[in-house]
């Protein structure tokens, strides 16, 4: 198509904003999950099996152009941020 | 709310699928941008200033619960995957 570099970059910026919005919604869900785990008396939030399950579904959903390895690397960073979110929340709870 | 762990995890899986879809659309845009850069004779795809601009906008868009640092880390992984995509494409072009 005849779109300019600038136009394509604007579209990337719009997609970035949508990604941030989805990440925030995902963060809220993870925080809810963390509260359930806490209320059940658990303090272990890291769940490698659940992460592996998610990665399997993510690879199934991926139709490119990113490789499965690239998408997995991005999701591992999302998992890491999510775990930080759950653990920080738990840490705050333990300190009060 | 009274949602169970299982229901929340299904919502996370749905969000993951939406994230994969947005990432794929972003990947296609980046591939288009790569083609424009190539056609203009450039072979340098890494553009730290453009990445910094994107991160600034992403931080502005972020309303939590993730910290700006967490969202930046996720986007840096997206940038890395995107650069791989542009460079692999260029490498293929150079090899034919």
């Amino acid at each position: 198509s005849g779109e300019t570099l600038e136009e394509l970059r604007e579209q990337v910026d719009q997609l970035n904003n949508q990604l941030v919005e989805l990440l925030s919604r995902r963060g809220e869900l993870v925080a809810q999950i963390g509260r359930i785990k806490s209320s059940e008396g658990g303090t272990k939030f890291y769940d490698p099996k659940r992460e592996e399950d998610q990665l399997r579904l993510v690879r199934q959903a991926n139709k490119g152009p990113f490789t499965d390895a690239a998408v997995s690397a991005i999701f591992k960073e999302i998992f890491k941020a999510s775990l930080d979110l759950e653990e920080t929340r738990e840490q705050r709870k333990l300190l009060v």
Side-chain angles (χ1 to χ4, degrees), chain A residues 10-84:
Chain A
E10 275 171 28
Q11 290 178 39
V12 168
D13 287 335
Q14 284 169 17
L15 271 180
N16 286 351
N17 284 349
Q18 291 175 47
L19 283 165
V20 171
E21 201 182 312
L22 284 187
L23 286 171
S24 290
R25 283 166 53 195
R26 195 183 179 290
E28 297 294 350
L29 287 173
V30 165
Q32 269 185 271
I33 288 171
R35 282 192 291 272
I36 291 180
K37 286 186 190 171
S38 290
S39 74
E40 288 174 351
T43 51
K44 280 191 182 165
F45 297 105
Y46 177 55
D47 184 345
K49 190 188 165 301
R50 169 64 183 148
E51 290 193 358
E52 212 24 79
D53 287 346
Q54 286 184 73
L55 286 180
R56 189 173 37 76
L57 292 173
V58 156
R59 284 192 294 264
Q60 276 173 22
N62 180 37
K63 305 284 176 263
F66 287 122
T67 61
D68 286 354
V71 174
S72 293
I74 294 165
F75 270 84
K76 281 178 188 171
E77 199 62 46
I78 295 174
F79 296 158
K80 202 166 133 236
S82 302
L83 191 62
D84 286 346

Side-chain angles (χ1 to χ4, degrees), chain A residues 45 86-96:
Chain A
F45 297 105
E86 287 190 75
E87 290 183 338
T88 305
R89 192 174 292 266
E90 183 68 13
Q91 194 58 28
R92 276 203 305 271
K93 208 190 67 175
L94 292 172
L95 289 172
V96 293

